[in-house]
């Protein structure tokens, strides 16, 4: 399931984040690449212990916590702290699948990567290339969103970032371990939850909404992992 989130960050918040990222100290992205990704990864990243990454990461997570569509789609159990990358000067990341298990930096905590997230900080017209290409269950999708928007997609998906031939692409990326391990089950719960919200907003029969809500929570109870 691929879900786009609009205006996770406001224009003012994006501008402040851009300024912080521009002044940050970047390192070669290969330092955090897995063995198979070394030959196809060409970008810059903020070090895991970067104070800029920590501050911006905490802020992004706080904003997402208040985003109804994010909560409905992700059903968060654990989150790996957000990381940040920069693509420029033909930088790219070839086809790959994210590692299934990742460690929270400087800890023994492990996260199973069910959902991958990218938050965009550069306006799409400010750089050429840099599309996030995701091979989803519905085929190949190209994602290049406005600054402040985000996209969620299954970590099992093959994906890549095309070469940035002009300008600079700034983004945050991280992973979620969901309460629901399987993407098809998350999709069912998401569709059901969205239908319940639309019926509620339209002030449809409260009795039917209660029944659907009961089905939703019984499925969540049956499928969730805590």
């Amino acid at each position: 399931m691929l879900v786009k989130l609009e205006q996770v960050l406001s224009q003012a918040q994006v501008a402040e984040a851009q300024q912080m990222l521009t002044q940050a100290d970047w390192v070669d992205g290969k330092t955090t690449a897995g063995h198979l990704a070394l030959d196809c990864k060409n970008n810059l990243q903020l070090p895991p212990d970067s104070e800029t990454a920590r501050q911006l990461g905490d802020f992004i997570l706080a904003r997402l916590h208040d985003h109804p569509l994010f909560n409905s789609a992700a059903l968060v159990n654990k989150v790996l702290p957000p990381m940040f990358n920069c693509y420029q000067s033909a930088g790219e990341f070839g086809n790959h699948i994210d590692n299934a298990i990742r460690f929270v930096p400087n800890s023994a905590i492990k996260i199973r990567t069910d959902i991958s997230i990218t938050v965009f900080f550069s306006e799409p017209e400010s750089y050429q290339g840099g599309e996030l290409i995701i091979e989803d269950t519905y085929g190949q999708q190209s994602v290049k969103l406005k600054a402040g928007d985000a996209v969620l997609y299954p970590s099992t998906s093959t994906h890549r970032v095309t070469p940035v031939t002009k300008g600079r692409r700034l983004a945050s990326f991280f992973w979620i371990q969901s309460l629901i391990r399987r993407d098809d089950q998350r999709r069912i719960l998401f569709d059901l939850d969205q239908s319940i919200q639309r019926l509620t907003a339209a002030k449809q029969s409260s009795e039917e909404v209660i029944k659907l809500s009961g089905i939703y929570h019984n499925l969540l109870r049956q499928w969730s992992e805590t």
Side-chain angles (χ1 to χ4, degrees):
M1 177 175 64
L2 188 152
V3 178
K4 297 176 183 177
L5 308 177
E6 295 183 350
Q7 297 180 336
V8 173
L9 303 176
S10 68
Q11 290 184 343
Q13 290 164 344
V14 167
E16 184 177 355
Q18 288 174 341
Q19 183 176 9
M20 293 175 66
L21 292 172
T22 299
Q23 297 172 351
D25 294 323
W26 297 86
V27 298
D28 191 335
K30 292 184 185 296
T31 59
T32 60
H35 176 70
L36 294 178
L38 283 173
D39 293 333
C40 65
K41 186 176 185 180
N42 178 21
N43 66 4
L44 300 173
Q45 286 185 198
L46 291 188
D49 59 353
S50 165
E51 181 63 19
T52 297
R54 187 193 65 77
Q55 291 181 5
L56 282 181
D58 288 346
F59 183 72
I60 289 171
L61 293 180
R63 291 287 297 170
L64 286 172
H65 178 75
D66 296 328
H67 200 292
L69 194 61
F70 168 78
N71 291 317
S72 179
L75 294 171
V76 175
N77 187 358
K78 301 177 183 178
V79 181
L80 193 77
M83 303 169 70
F84 297 83
N85 57 24
C86 171
Y87 290 86
Q88 58 188 9
S89 305
E92 63 179 316
F93 199 161
N95 271 342
H96 64 285
I97 296 177
D98 294 331
N99 292 344
I101 304 295
R102 300 188 70 97
F103 282 90
V104 174
N106 303 315
S107 79
I109 299 173
K110 292 183 286 188
I111 299 289
R112 185 187 66 239
T113 57
D114 297 324
I115 300 171
S116 301
I117 305 179
T118 297
V119 181
F120 293 81
F121 287 103
S122 300
E123 294 295 351
E125 64 272 14
S126 70
Y127 60 98
Q128 293 181 359
E131 291 85 2
L132 174 60
I133 307 297
I134 303 168
E135 296 182 17
D136 195 20
T137 52
Y138 294 107
Q140 182 172 286
Q141 302 193 50
S142 177
V143 181
K144 188 174 182 178
L145 303 182
K146 295 180 180 179
D149 291 355
V151 61
L152 284 69
Y153 59 96
S155 299
T156 54
S157 303
T158 300
H159 55 283
R160 67 183 184 274
V161 176
T162 64
V164 174
T165 57
K166 184 178 180 180
R168 179 174 55 189
R169 176 191 188 271
L170 297 171
S172 175
F173 64 101
F174 54 103
W175 294 270
I176 285 174
Q177 179 174 319
S178 177
L179 290 169
I180 308 300
R181 179 193 295 256
R182 289 174 45 176
D183 180 59
D184 59 334
Q185 292 176 339
R186 287 197 304 273
R187 186 189 301 270
I188 290 170
L189 289 169
F190 176 72
D191 289 343
L192 183 55
D193 184 45
Q194 293 302 295
S195 294
I196 292 170
Q197 291 188 40
R198 285 191 292 268
L199 289 171
T200 302
K203 298 182 179 179
Q204 297 295 321
S205 169
S206 60
E207 182 178 349
E208 295 305 314
V209 170
I210 290 172
K211 288 181 180 178
L212 288 175
S213 180
I215 293 171
Y216 172 87
H217 285 285
N218 285 334
L219 287 174
L220 182 61
R221 187 177 294 111
Q222 179 177 343
W223 291 342
S224 66
E225 302 174 358
T226 59

